[in-house]
């Protein structure tokens, strides 16, 4: 049986220049997690001028083998999409300023850029959804932070499914 969850993160400032993990999901034993999508946006006017426009690179990464979690972030609670069901078994971190690492394989599954002036909605078609199992981590990483800190309200929602 599978369950669908959202994980949200809100901040008044995003780090500038350095790479950081916007989301880090670690699946539980025998309960794979499937990435379905991501929504990100900022509210406010600080980065809406032409001179402030930039494309921030975002990656979907699968870490394997021994994963060392990032640090410096928060631990948001996954929320069920359905009105009933069980709490998520996977662990969640958001906005880690020290990125997660691995002694195994780092697989870049997707890579694109977010224009900070526009909201981004990114969903994967069913045939291309990314699956993560025990011993792996799902990362949504800003591989390079914005040139200058985003100081208006930043919102992000991760959409995942847990099987088992």
């Amino acid at each position: 049986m599978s369950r669908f969850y959202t994980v949200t993160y809100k901040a008044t400032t995003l780090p500038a220049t350095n790479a950081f993990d916007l989301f880090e999901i670690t699946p539980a034993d025998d309960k794979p997690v499937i990435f379905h999508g991501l929504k990100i946006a900022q509210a406010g006017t600080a980065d809406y001028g032409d001179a402030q426009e930039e494309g921030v690179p975002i990656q979907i990464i699968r870490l394997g083998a021994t994963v060392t979690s990032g640090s410096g972030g928060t631990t948001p609670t996954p929320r069920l999409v359905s009105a009933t069901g069980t709490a998520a078994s996977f662990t969640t971190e958001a906005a880690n300023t020290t990125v997660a690492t691995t002694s195994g394989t780092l697989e870049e599954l997707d890579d694109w850029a977010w224009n900070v002036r526009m909201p981004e909605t990114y969903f994967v078609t069913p045939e291309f959804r990314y699956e993560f199992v025990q011993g792996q981590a799902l990362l949504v990483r800003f591989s390079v932070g914005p040139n200058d800190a985003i100081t208006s309200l930043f919102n992000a929602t991760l959409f995942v499914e847990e099987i088992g």
Side-chain angles (χ1 to χ4, degrees):
M1 186 166 103
S2 64
R3 294 166 310 283
F4 294 88
Y5 299 89
T6 62
V7 181
T8 59
Y9 174 73
K10 294 180 183 180
T12 54
T13 302
L14 272 186
T17 67
N18 296 325
F20 66 96
D21 290 336
L22 178 58
F23 289 108
E24 178 183 324
I25 305 292
T26 306
D29 187 18
D30 298 326
K31 294 187 178 182
V33 171
I34 298 174
F35 172 90
H36 282 264
L38 174 71
K39 288 171 55 176
I40 54 176
Q42 68 162 317
T45 59
D47 285 290
Y48 279 93
D50 288 343
Q52 301 299 324
E53 187 165 11
E54 57 184 306
V56 179
I58 299 174
Q59 298 172 311
I60 307 298
I61 295 173
R62 179 186 296 128
L63 291 185
T66 304
V67 175
T68 302
S69 180
S71 62
T74 66
T75 55
T77 302
R79 302 293 180 196
L80 276 163
V81 172
S82 172
T84 61
T86 59
S89 300
F90 56 86
T91 60
T92 306
E93 296 180 18
N96 281 338
T97 54
T98 302
V99 298
T101 59
T102 183
S103 61
T105 304
L106 183 151
E107 299 174 84
E108 294 178 9
L109 301 173
D110 209 340
D111 198 343
W112 75 97
W114 167 50
N115 180 331
V116 299
R117 290 178 57 194
M118 303 296 294
E120 177 82 23
T121 301
Y122 174 84
F123 280 91
V124 182
T125 59
E127 299 83 4
F128 290 98
R129 290 184 181 138
Y130 313 121
E131 183 175 342
F132 303 83
V133 297
Q134 176 186 0
Q136 297 178 336
L138 155 61
L139 302 176
V140 177
R141 178 171 288 172
F142 279 49
S143 56
V144 176
N147 285 331
D148 56 339
I150 293 177
T151 56
S152 54
L153 183 61
F154 173 81
N155 300 300
T157 304
L158 179 68
F159 300 85
V160 295
E161 175 183 4
E162 184 175 60
I163 300 172

